[in-house]
Amino acid sequence: MGNRFQVTDRFADGAQYIGGKLRAGTSGRTHSVVDPATGESVYTYELASTADVDEAVAAAKAAFPGWAGATPGERSDALHRLAGILAERAEDFARAESLQCGKPIRLTTEFDVPGTIDNTAFFAGAARHLQGQSAAEYSGDHTSYVRREPIGVVGSIAPWNYPLQMAAWKILPAIAAGNTIVLKPAELTPLTSLMFAQAATDAGIPDGVINVVTGSGREAGEHLVGHPDVVMTSFTGSTAVGKRVAEVATATVKRLHLELGGKAPFVVFDDADLEAAAHGAVAASLINTGQDCTAATRAYVQRPLFDAFVARVAELMETVRLGDPADPATDLGPLVSHVHRDRIAGFVERARGYATVVTGGEAPGGELENGAYYRPTLITGAAQDSEVVQSEIFGPVLVALPFDTDDEGIRLANDTPYGLAASAWSRDVYRANRATREIKAGCVWVNDHIPIISEMPHGGYKASGYGKDMSAYSFEEYTQVKHVMFDNTAVAAKDWHRTIFGDR
């Protein structure tokens, strides 16, 4: 295996970042960060207790008045400095993300880290554009305008599949709007969230504005979501856990933002560029080893192209190079853990009873046998109501199904509980435009699948949750909208008073 990011010295003081300092958790229980490429523990730390969460929330609450009172320009300048520091430390972040997740270094270097830097730069600019509706005299006798104000302490929970980017998606809009935050990263992958918080301190963002507590979901996560001083919760993760987060948050009437599971359809019409669709399907189903809630999972291909599509996708999947994530030649790294790898293998093994595994469907042996690797897998012959079509597998598995009419293709695309992302492949602008209108998903790509940009929102329909990450739309999650109304008449006894008392 190649050179590895050295963790122990970097986080010798612990995996909690509270009030601008690293410290150890106090739960009395430990957890290990495991390199999924080797199965070896690279860092063991003490998990956060509920008392640690209380301290982090208290630090965020204490920092809120000062940060909320900073000018938009001051917050913007701090975020610009943060973007610069992230760029200077890009290699460190890429190596740490690769180590804890098993991501190929090419992916972290060219996608995760530059995407996070760009997102930081975007919110540095967006911090100066927290605009409300222009002032006007809507009643005739009053001037009205809208203020956007920060809401307070945000408690966010991020997943393990994109730890750095998800930390940024939670933190940046919240603090750009003047809020403070306590982030709970996944226990498996806390490293880059902690590094991001340290970089923010180095950029001059005040202590307590960004806090990180690394603990279990049942203890630290539920306590954070239910904390009376946390006014908003943002959660990214599975739909099942999202339902529990909603239950806990509702008890204290918190604002809630949920980005949950996905089962993205990849709809190929019979006039599509077959080669483009096949390449797109392989890339979109295998990004991050398929551990992406927007990854292509269900390829619906119009019947005239179906056989050729299946053959070409299988051929391309068989060229994908599994290997050491630190090697720039590696295309596909391991899954995040052996437990998760075995869960995915279970889906595929059960599918053999009712469908055909065209390629893949196994863990490699040899020098990769100690890692949580799984080969790119293509399945055909599954029924629409089968487990592999309806359930979120979250691995390098693509299911291909044929359809006949456009109506059928769009109906099948919508036939899951999820609605996070989708794509439509066609040379016909009217056909593609119909698909973008009628497919129920928060993002619909045309002749591509996966690219995201900071300026545009990310969020789902149906069981994929609600609310938006990235873009200026995210400020709708992280600000209070206040209507301010001034009387312009200076009349003591106003005409409308007579509806309540006295004579006209």
Side-chain angles (χ1 to χ4, degrees), residues 14-86:
Q16 319 301 326
Y17 197 77
I18 299 173
K21 294 180 177 59
L22 277 174
R23 40 157 286 190
T26 62
S27 69
R29 292 179 292 108
T30 60
H31 196 277
S32 291
V33 175
V34 174
D35 176 357
T38 64
E40 297 173 358
S41 173
V42 295
Y43 176 58
T44 300
Y45 64 92
E46 293 181 69
L47 290 163
S49 66
T50 57
D52 298 322
V53 173
D54 289 341
E55 286 191 37
V57 172
K61 185 177 180 180
F64 175 70
W67 185 245
T71 66
E74 289 168 339
R75 293 198 292 267
S76 175
D77 288 347
L79 287 170
H80 277 300
R81 292 192 298 272
L82 175 57
I85 289 171
L86 295 175

Side-chain angles (χ1 to χ4, degrees), residues 267-269 300-304 401-406 408-409 412:
V267 184
V268 183
F269 295 99
Y300 294 104
V301 185
Q302 208 149 23
R303 205 170 294 275
L401 304 94
F403 69 91
D404 291 304
T405 67
D406 289 17
E408 182 189 14
L412 292 170

Side-chain angles (χ1 to χ4, degrees), residues 49-50 52-58 60 153-158 181-185 211-234 245 248-249 252 254:
S49 66
T50 57
D52 298 322
V53 173
D54 289 341
E55 286 191 37
V57 172
V153 177
V154 178
S156 292
I157 299 177
I181 188 167
V182 179
L183 174 76
K184 193 200 88 65
N211 307 274
V212 178
V213 289
T214 310
S216 71
R218 189 170 297 278
E219 184 174 2
E222 290 208 8
H223 192 65
L224 178 62
V225 171
H227 200 290
D229 289 333
V230 169
V231 298
M232 174 185 168
T233 290
S234 176
V245 169
V248 177
T252 50
K254 286 177 171 46

